[in-house]
Amino acid sequence: MNIQELTVNIEKAIKHSLKELGYYDESIEVSLEQPKDKSHGDYASNIAMRYAKKARKAPIKIAEEIVEKLDKESLYLETINVVNPGFINFFIVPSFIFGVINDINKQGKQYGQLSLGKNDRYNIEFVSVNPTGSLHIGHARGAASGDSMCRILQKAGYEVTKEYYVNDAGNQIHNLALSLEARYKQLFDLDVLMPEDGYNGPEIIKLAEKIKREVNDRYLHEEGYHFFKSYGVSELLAQLKQDLADFRVEFDVWFSEQSLYDEQIVQKTLDYLKEQNYTYEQDGAIWLKTSEYGDEKDRVIVKSDGTYTYLTPDIAYHKNKLDRNYTKLIDILGGDHHGYIDRLKAAIEMVGKQSNILEVEILQMVKVIQNGEEVKMSKRSGRAITLRDIIDEVGVDPIRYFFAMRSLNTHMDLDLDLALKQTNENPVYYVQYANARIHSLFTQAEKKGINFTNEDHKFTHLTGDKTIQLVHILSQYPDAIELAATNRTPHKLTNYLNQLASAFHSFYGDTQIITDDIVATKEKLALLNATTIVLEDALSLIGVSAPKKM
RNA sequence: GUUUCGGUAGCUCAGUUGGAUAGAGCAACGGCCUUCUAAGCCGUCGGUCGGGGGUUCGAAUCCCUCCCGGAAUGCCA
């Protein structure tokens, strides 16, 4: 029996007592909590307070009655205290808690693997930046959060497809082609102006130079629009993939918007919407009746000039995702797109499925600060600090950890001067250092001829609050995974990592690990081995490395 | 105006399915390396949880209201 099972048993026992006492009410849920203060036990229950009204008795009395009916031994409880105003505090026998060390060492990386999503297939779409320039630091948040979320969901037992929607059709790409053409011609000293909505970033100039090297002046004489378009998209997309890969973000599916046109999916979806009478014509445009499905107003899907809005292929795209039989579609979008959710959900309702199959996670924007001022990021203006720059200058680990730390819906400030210079302030090193220290201890122990052996230990030599605290946190790893996965909150995992590292550092400062007592040393090494397993696994879930030396 | 996300320590942020004395990192201050990694440990300082009402044994957390900031409110994407 592990600790999670034990807490369930304690809850059951409380429920049983309530029944015997004649108080039981199934609408009042029995659940244990973990008190912040160690003196309040390993677990605590507020159940007596919640039954006070129903039982018409003082909570403290109810608590006493419940406790009287509990069998301490079979529940591995050392003591049970009743405290004002009616909390019940449970102290588990230490040797039971230590059992988790053996479990972890036996299971290795499998420890914490859950099977929550047995019948679920999730599709998670994130980043999906247009291939019209370099990824900038603002995009990194989406990449880091989305990827971490996927890894955590997989650990929790969900089948996950990571997907990137490539906007390789439409107006933005048109502007890219024109921008590239203009830059190319400028290289021949032609007085060509950039298009009004053009992309002014330096990467477009570099690309134009590359084209010039390859084809020389060919497109001064012949029409090059299609060439610039496809060349630009494929080069920029390749760059984008590379940047993401270096950021340790890999996608399973790169879904091309153009393919929706090539395979007539957009046209078919449009026909379907018309047939079902979900559309009408007004002012020369075709509108979709999204307001009938919860949107604040109807939306144009075919403009009066005959072209589509962004929404049109996106409906077709989501229809396609639905047809691929996922049980859940998660879109991770930037905060500037939140007004888009209602129309998308409405459209999904129309193409046949319940809109709640789509879940949209909104990622608030990052405000980048440099030299004490806000830096406005914009691809069009070309003013941007690229992800590539940051990877090269600071490294992947600090950035990924930093973004994973923040809850998705918080508006955050990123001080670049701080991020670039004072990298030691990033808590990632605190966690990584814990792991490096452990590996150093193994090396030291080995030198003295003591090796960690993966056998069941009795842990009769382990004592002290710091030790118990560390073991306790190790036992909570599966809870942390579940919480982070079901609430879509990757930052719960960095909170957990920080707690674990802190417990370790504190334990380390308090306890001499390698001593002349071989049995005690081996027991401590077993604890450290369990700690490093969890540290490395949890770090891997947010895409951060775990160096053995620092 | 409407929708939406925020407002918690000097700064950046946790904590928000109601729980016990509101936390962490950084900054500031004071201790700890002749024994396992000082990227560390131990301690001190620091708060009208935006304001005001309400709900109850109990509210940062739930409800109402007001104030402040970001974002959205396109036949842009």
Side-chain angles (χ1 to χ4, degrees):
Chain A
M1 180 164 52
N2 65 33
I3 202 139
Q4 276 74 21
E5 289 160 351
L6 178 62
T7 59
V8 171
N9 285 350
I10 295 173
E11 286 165 4
K12 277 186 191 157
I14 293 173
K15 225 182 258 183
H16 189 72
S17 309
L18 287 166
K19 278 179 187 158
E20 284 190 354
L21 293 163
Y23 300 149
Y24 187 67
D25 177 349
E26 62 180 24
S27 70
I28 304 176
E29 202 185 335
V30 177
S31 68
L32 295 182
E33 56 186 284
Q34 293 173 17
K36 292 170 216 159
D37 189 335
K38 290 303 293 173
S39 69
H40 294 139
D42 299 310
Y43 292 92
S45 172
N46 60 2
I47 197 68
M49 268 99 79
R50 304 182 65 182
Y51 268 90
K53 218 170 228 174
K54 176 164 170 64
R56 308 181 70 179
K57 264 189 191 174
I60 196 120
K61 280 264 187 263
I62 300 170
E64 279 163 3
E65 287 174 351
I66 293 170
V67 169
E68 204 149 302
K69 295 211 172 285
L70 296 177
D71 177 31
K72 283 203 287 193
E73 263 177 48
S74 68
L75 295 171
Y76 296 94
L77 293 171
E78 195 167 59
T79 40
I80 310 176
N81 291 338
V82 172
V83 194
N84 267 323
F87 287 104
I88 307 172
N89 296 333
F90 300 94
F91 294 83
I92 297 170
V93 296
S95 63
F96 180 89
I97 299 176
F98 286 138
V100 74
I101 302 172
N102 289 329
D103 293 344
I104 297 171
N105 287 331
K106 250 178 272 171
Q107 295 176 42
K109 283 190 184 315
Q110 284 302 304
Y111 176 64
Q113 175 69 48
L114 310 178
S115 52
L116 295 177
K118 254 182 242 163
N119 303 312
D120 281 312
R121 294 182 71 232
Y122 279 20
N123 177 290
I124 304 184
E125 183 210 329
F126 58 110
V127 189
S128 296
V129 173
N130 299 337
T132 54
S134 306
L135 285 173
H136 61 64
I137 186 69
H139 299 132
R141 184 179 193 179
S145 305
D147 180 62
S148 300
M149 197 182 288
C150 290
R151 294 183 194 219
I152 292 165
L153 283 166
Q154 282 166 339
K155 180 84 184 179
Y158 295 86
E159 187 187 325
V160 172
T161 302
K162 303 183 192 180
E163 189 151 326
Y164 191 117
Y165 179 50
V166 184
N167 294 111
D168 54 1
N171 208 26
Q172 310 244 8
I173 297 304
H174 173 69
N175 286 333
L176 169 68
L178 297 181
S179 304
L180 201 49
E181 187 169 18
R183 289 302 192 201
Y184 170 79
K185 289 182 174 167
Q186 284 172 359
L187 293 175
F188 292 94
D189 292 324
L190 293 175
D191 192 16
V192 181
L193 288 178
M194 286 295 282
E196 199 174 329
D197 290 321
Y199 295 100
N200 293 299
E203 63 271 21
I204 304 298
I205 299 175
K206 270 194 196 153
L207 209 51
E209 285 166 350
K210 193 174 171 195
I211 292 173
K212 185 186 173 187
R213 282 196 300 276
E214 289 178 13
V215 307
N216 212 337
D217 61 354
R218 182 170 162 189
Y219 293 107
L220 296 183
H221 316 302
E222 57 185 274
E223 176 53 48
Y225 176 80
H226 289 288
F227 170 80
F228 287 112
K229 189 165 170 174
S230 66
Y231 190 95
V233 168
S234 73
E235 284 287 318
L236 289 169
L237 192 59
Q239 218 173 82
L240 215 127
K241 281 187 186 180
Q242 188 59 52
D243 287 354
L244 285 166
D246 291 344
F247 199 46
R248 302 180 193 136
V249 178
E250 307 266 3
F251 288 88
D252 302 308
V253 176
W254 293 80
F255 195 98
S256 156
E257 180 189 354
Q258 185 60 48
S259 74
L260 292 167
Y261 292 101
D262 295 346
E263 291 163 32
Q264 307 293 315
I265 298 175
V266 178
Q267 190 56 51
K268 282 178 194 162
T269 306
L270 201 53
D271 291 344
Y272 174 82
L273 292 171
K274 283 180 187 166
E275 275 164 29
Q276 298 296 311
N277 211 17
Y278 289 130
T279 63
Y280 60 89
E281 268 192 68
Q282 189 184 307
D283 304 329
I286 296 175
W287 297 70
L288 192 64
K289 299 175 184 171
T290 51
S291 65
E292 288 180 13
Y293 292 87
D295 195 9
E296 63 169 325
K297 58 180 179 184
D298 294 340
R299 308 290 170 176
V300 169
I301 50 174
V302 182
K303 295 184 251 178
S304 50
D305 67 1
T307 60
Y308 301 140
T309 61
Y310 181 81
L311 180 64
T312 318
D314 212 19
I315 297 171
Y317 172 48
H318 281 81
K319 171 76 166 71
N320 174 280
K321 284 201 268 191
L322 290 171
D323 290 344
R324 283 184 271 151
N325 290 319
Y326 291 105
T327 57
K328 178 76 78 181
L329 305 180
I330 300 179
D331 287 6
I332 301 178
L333 302 179
D336 53 342
H337 287 71
H338 89 260
Y340 190 69
I341 301 171
D342 285 343
R343 73 192 78 161
L344 194 55
K345 287 206 169 207
I348 282 188
E349 200 73 50
M350 292 176 196
V351 294
K353 301 261 181 159
Q354 289 172 336
S355 58
N356 62 11
I357 204 168
L358 174 70
E359 178 181 317
V360 180
E361 294 294 332
I362 287 296
L363 206 51
Q364 296 300 331
M365 315 213 79
V366 181
K367 189 198 278 184
V368 181
I369 309 222
Q370 193 172 31
N371 304 321
E373 321 187 338
E374 180 176 354
V375 184
K376 286 277 185 193
M377 296 282 181
S378 154
K379 250 196 208 175
R380 291 201 165 144
S381 74
R383 276 186 65 201
I385 289 137
T386 65
L387 174 59
R388 168 59 49 196
D389 293 341
I390 305 283
I391 291 176
D392 293 344
E393 283 180 65
V394 225
V396 176
D397 288 343
I399 317 170
R400 286 221 46 169
Y401 197 89
F402 182 79
F403 281 121
M405 270 170 72
R406 310 308 196 198
S407 90
L408 303 185
N409 54 11
T410 192
H411 305 267
M412 56 183 281
D413 287 3
L414 173 62
D415 189 329
L416 272 181
D417 302 314
L418 216 66
L420 290 172
K421 285 180 205 153
Q422 299 173 294
T423 57
N424 276 9
E425 289 178 14
N426 192 305
V428 70
Y429 299 106
Y430 182 77
V431 178
Q432 289 181 322
Y433 186 55
N435 194 54
R437 267 183 154 177
I438 292 173
H439 284 283
S440 169
L441 286 167
F442 281 121
T443 311
Q444 289 299 324
E446 224 167 280
K447 277 185 194 159
K448 298 199 173 166
I450 308 169
N451 285 310
F452 161 70
T453 46
N454 198 353
E455 62 196 70
D456 271 5
H457 294 271
K458 296 223 181 295
F459 302 114
T460 49
H461 293 65
L462 291 189
T463 53
D465 291 347
K466 310 271 186 184
T467 313
I468 292 174
Q469 176 66 8
L470 177 56
V471 177
H472 229 284
I473 291 179
L474 287 171
S475 76
Q476 290 164 7
Y477 187 49
D479 301 326
I481 302 281
E482 178 170 355
L483 201 64
T486 57
N487 292 345
R488 324 277 190 241
T489 47
H491 75 278
K492 299 274 183 196
L493 207 68
T494 57
N495 287 358
Y496 175 80
L497 267 168
N498 198 61
Q499 272 181 44
L500 179 57
S502 169
F504 165 75
H505 284 308
S506 186
F507 163 72
Y508 178 90
D510 191 60
T511 312
Q512 182 73 23
I513 311 296
I514 301 160
T515 63
D516 294 336
D517 186 335
I518 305 288
V519 178
T521 301
K522 284 196 157 193
E523 288 185 359
K524 281 176 274 186
L525 289 180
L527 171 57
L528 294 186
N529 191 65
T531 307
T532 188
I533 285 172
V534 177
L535 278 173
E536 289 181 4
D537 192 60
L539 281 171
S540 78
L541 295 182
I542 50 172
V544 173
S545 72
K548 294 194 187 330
K549 266 189 190 169
M550 283 175 76

